[in-house]
Amino acid sequence: MTNLVLYRKYRPKTFSEVVGQEHVVQTLTNAITMGIISHAYLFTGPRGSGKTTIARLLAKSLNCENRKDGFEPCNECSSCNEVNEARAIDLIEVDAASNRGIDEIRELRDGIRFAPTKSKYKVFIIDEAHQLSKDAANALLKTLEEPPSHAIFILATTEIHKMIPTIISRCQRFDFRKLSFPEIISRLEWIINKEKVQIDRTALELIALNSSGSVRDAEALLDQVLAFGGKTAQDIKELLGMVDNTVVGQFVDYLCQGQVGPAIEFLNKTMEKGKDPQEFSKTLVNYLRQGMILKMGPELANPILTGLTGEEKSKLCSQVANFQDNELRRILKLFLEAENKIKYSPIPQLPIELAIIESLQNEEK
Ligand SMILES: Nc1ncnc2c1ncn2[C@@H]1O[C@H](COP(=O)(O)OP(=O)(O)OP(=O)(O)O)[C@@H](O)[C@H]1O
Ligand SMILES: [Mg+2]
Ligand SMILES: [Zn+2]
């Protein structure tokens, strides 16, 4: 058990363990309780937000021999155990990404007429459904037109715009969203409690900041951090090769003073110390964004001012006071564009250098 990666180990086993996605959970649990089951569901939304997790929960709950509170799987009966151990024969998972699903859908179409082997429902989870080939999608469509009463389809996709509309219209659709910063923090806190390890709150904030709304990414990062024995924000910065806000703060000092040469020199010194231009740029853009919002209204900044110490916050406040609103926006846009160009640049820091020159030169005009 201990060797399982965290995100597998802690895949929610009940609906109550799911973080966020309240609208999805509420609608599905009501439907289960009332016995109003649709034959086709479509789960769409960003990666690592709970689509597969909730699809399996739905399947498990529908076939549970001893549901609790009307909708929760018991996790004790043989059906629940089989799902938890990934050996349930009436839960069929098709990964459309692997071979675009042709054989599997055909097989599925032929096999679907047969009643479930031992459970009430045969549940088909079709992951990355947008990747089904045209033939497979058409075969699926046929099946969705007249599904046998024992069959339930759950289609999951991160790219709904690539799905054919006739399939979408035959499904009950649920839109998953990225998890918020506090939701991810609460999930990480729950896990470290279970794992009986201690990690600083600021460290958890940095992990959450780097997960871009995906619980799976957050949990994978936490895994890495634990394996490394990390506990503090500093550990995490080192592990992820993150650039410190204080480093970026110093850099912004040069921008405030309009010093092109020293700014470029500082950038290159930072790169020589082994920092990655992409990471530098990411921290810089985030820093300037926080500055922009802080300038617009300190009350707006509260929920997004994360990962900054009190000292860093007051430095940022005094720095942004040097800029006009539109000037700050212009500089932020320049560095944002630079960030997007780094990947394709033969000299990785060149886009940042150009942004420095452009942001300070135009100012003198
Ligand atoms: N809403 C959530 N609440 C709790 N844990 C979650 C949630 N979403 C994701 N997780 C965690 O992340 C892992 C991966 O989630 P899941 O497989 O459900 O994501 P997904 O939306 O299907 O992503 P993908 O599009 O990449 O397949 C889960 O095992 C679980 O640990
Ligand atoms: Mg999935
Ligand atoms: Zn059960």
Side-chain angles (χ1 to χ4, degrees), residues 10 54 56 61 82 112 117 202-203:
Y10 291 108
I54 292 184
R56 288 187 191 159
S61 176
E82 284 167 16
I112 196 168
T117 316
T202 43

Side-chain angles (χ1 to χ4, degrees), residues 223-250:
D223 231 347
Q224 236 181 306
V225 171
L226 293 184
F228 169 86
K231 287 188 171 30
T232 63
Q234 196 52 42
D235 294 338
I236 291 181
K237 284 176 190 164
E238 272 169 37
L239 184 70
L240 300 182
M242 283 168 74
V243 174
D244 220 272
N245 277 310
T246 47
V247 172
V248 161
Q250 262 174 287

